[in-house]
């Protein structure tokens, strides 16, 4: 019985290893209006993250967010 539970858990664990991260574009929420220093720095960081991760990185401005 314990062996069956172990093998079932192993099957689910192997499925989880097959997933890649990140599989969708990454979104960074900026809590300041566009055009400020926070927006500028976030966009610089987003460009570097895009190069490192190989997926799209979007900086979205939401003042007060």
């Amino acid at each position: 019985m314990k062996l069956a539970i172990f093998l079932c858990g192993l099957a689910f664990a192997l499925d989880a290893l097959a997933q890649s991260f990140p599989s969708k574009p990454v979104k960074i929420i900026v809590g300041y209006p566009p055009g400020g220093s926070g927006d500028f720095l976030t966009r610089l960081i987003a460009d570097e993250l895009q190069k490192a991760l190989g997926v799209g990185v979007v900086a979205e401005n939401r003042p007060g967010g």
Side-chain angles (χ1 to χ4, degrees):
M1 180 69 175
K2 290 181 182 179
L3 180 61
I5 294 172
F6 173 75
L7 291 176
C8 184
L10 184 64
F12 288 117
L14 291 176
D15 186 39
L17 290 175
Q19 298 174 0
S20 62
F21 175 81
S23 59
K24 297 180 181 179
V26 177
K27 184 187 297 185
I28 301 174
I29 306 295
V30 183
Y32 299 101
S37 61
D39 178 48
F40 178 72
L41 289 174
T42 305
R43 292 186 189 279
L44 287 177
I45 292 170
D47 286 341
E48 294 300 319
L49 273 175
Q50 188 169 356
K51 292 175 189 173
L53 296 176
V55 296
V57 179
V58 179
E60 183 177 325
N61 294 90
R62 290 192 182 175

